[in-house]
Amino acid sequence: GAGVSQSPSNKVTEKGKDVELRCDPISGHTALYWYRQSLGQGLEFLIYFQGNSAPDKSGLPSDRFSAERTGGSVSTLTIQRTQQEDSAVYLCASSLGTGGGGYNEQFFGPGTRLTVL
Amino acid sequence: AQKITQTQPGMFVQEKEAVTLDCTYDTSDPSYGLFWYKQPSSGEMIFLIYQGSYDQQNATEGRYSLNFQKARKSANLVISASQLGDSAMYFCAMRERVRTGANSKLTFGKGITLSVRP
């Protein structure tokens, strides 16, 4: 079956431009997460969606970052006025939203590599 | 304070030998879960194994086992019979509030690079 997909796989942009990153979760997964991985670092949580609402936005680093999810499916992460420190791999993950129990494995997409020149 | 600590420098192991990757964690939540993920050079994140804080036994999954020492707050990954394909970055992660059923975030360590020598 199809896994989590992300587009584009690579994005090069100039400082100050806006970018949109897209995530298609696994069908039926109601929970969706965005993480960021800078070079040689672990993953840093950005935002979590349950359905179309975002109960946890605590990881968004500044108000230049925003995300939305529509139809309980596709999510878009938008970075406005990009800065060089935004360069990273942006990973999306999804999981079943049934709650209960701790397992609830998160399945990750291949990521979008963002380079801000 | 870091919630997940992985301090080992790059690790090397001979093919077919066992290797232990260390992970310590910090939480005041009695209900949490610990995960290990593998990230090969291709960049994908591959789930390996899960241990819940209330699980009575250490988790095992094929060649992977988790040495869970709750009092010491450590959750070390043991890979038995290493293979060349095990060469990758390995991340330990924690999810808190698991008993509430909330799909809370994963908090990751900085990772450990493992290289398997033929």
Side-chain angles (χ1 to χ4, degrees):
Chain A
V4 178
S5 61
Q6 292 186 246
S7 60
S9 55
N10 277 285
K11 176 71 176 178
V12 180
T13 190
E14 293 180 349
K15 178 181 172 181
K17 301 276 191 182
D18 297 352
V19 295
E20 284 190 352
L21 312 179
R22 176 188 168 106
C23 171
D24 277 279
I26 292 172
S27 178
H29 281 193
T30 60
L32 186 148
Y33 305 77
W34 283 98
Y35 295 88
R36 177 169 74 172
Q37 185 175 25
S38 301
L39 187 64
Q41 298 296 310
L43 277 69
E44 172 192 15
F45 168 78
L46 297 177
I47 187 169
Y48 150 59
F49 286 92
Q50 181 61 49
N52 291 336
S53 63
D56 189 350
K57 307 179 183 179
S58 62
L60 295 177
S62 75
D63 59 8
R64 295 186 297 104
F65 287 72
S66 63
E68 65 174 12
R69 190 179 184 195
T70 55
S73 181
V74 171
S75 176
T76 303
L77 177 68
T78 302
I79 309 173
Q80 295 179 309
R81 304 181 303 281
T82 51
Q83 304 293 313
Q84 289 181 332
E85 61 262 28
D86 300 334
S87 296
V89 176
Y90 289 80
L91 288 152
C92 175
S94 70
S95 70
L96 289 169
T98 54
Y103 185 50
N104 242 331
E105 178 189 348
Q106 292 183 20
F107 295 83
F108 283 82
T112 294
R113 182 174 298 278
L114 174 66
T115 303
V116 182
L117 301 176
Chain B
Q2 286 190 33
K3 291 208 169 188
I4 298 287
T5 303
Q6 296 180 264
T7 58
Q8 289 167 305
M11 293 286 288
F12 294 87
V13 65
Q14 204 67 32
E15 194 178 7
K16 299 180 185 177
E17 292 185 350
V19 63
T20 298
L21 306 182
D22 295 343
C23 172
T24 59
Y25 59 91
D26 182 28
T27 182
S28 58
D29 191 333
S31 173
Y32 55 90
L34 296 156
F35 299 75
W36 277 91
Y37 281 85
K38 171 184 177 182
Q39 187 178 45
S41 57
S42 57
E44 63 199 291
M45 292 291 286
I46 303 169
F47 166 76
L48 296 178
I49 196 166
Y50 168 80
Q51 179 84 44
S53 59
Y54 291 104
D55 292 344
Q56 295 298 310
Q57 295 187 331
N58 286 347
T60 60
E61 194 69 51
R63 294 187 299 110
Y64 304 107
S65 60
L66 206 149
N67 183 2
F68 181 47
Q69 297 189 43
K70 195 170 181 177
R72 298 176 67 176
K73 293 190 174 178
S74 74
N76 299 339
L77 177 69
V78 180
I79 305 174
S80 62
S82 298
Q83 301 172 357
L84 296 178
D86 294 335
S87 294
M89 280 282 284
Y90 288 80
F91 291 97
C92 180
M94 177 172 64
R95 183 163 159 251
E96 296 171 294
R97 297 181 288 131
V98 297
R99 277 286 171 95
T100 67
N103 276 288
S104 52
K105 64 188 178 188
L106 288 175
T107 301
F108 286 83
K110 294 187 183 298
I112 302 168
T113 301
L114 175 66
S115 299
V116 180
R117 291 172 169 153

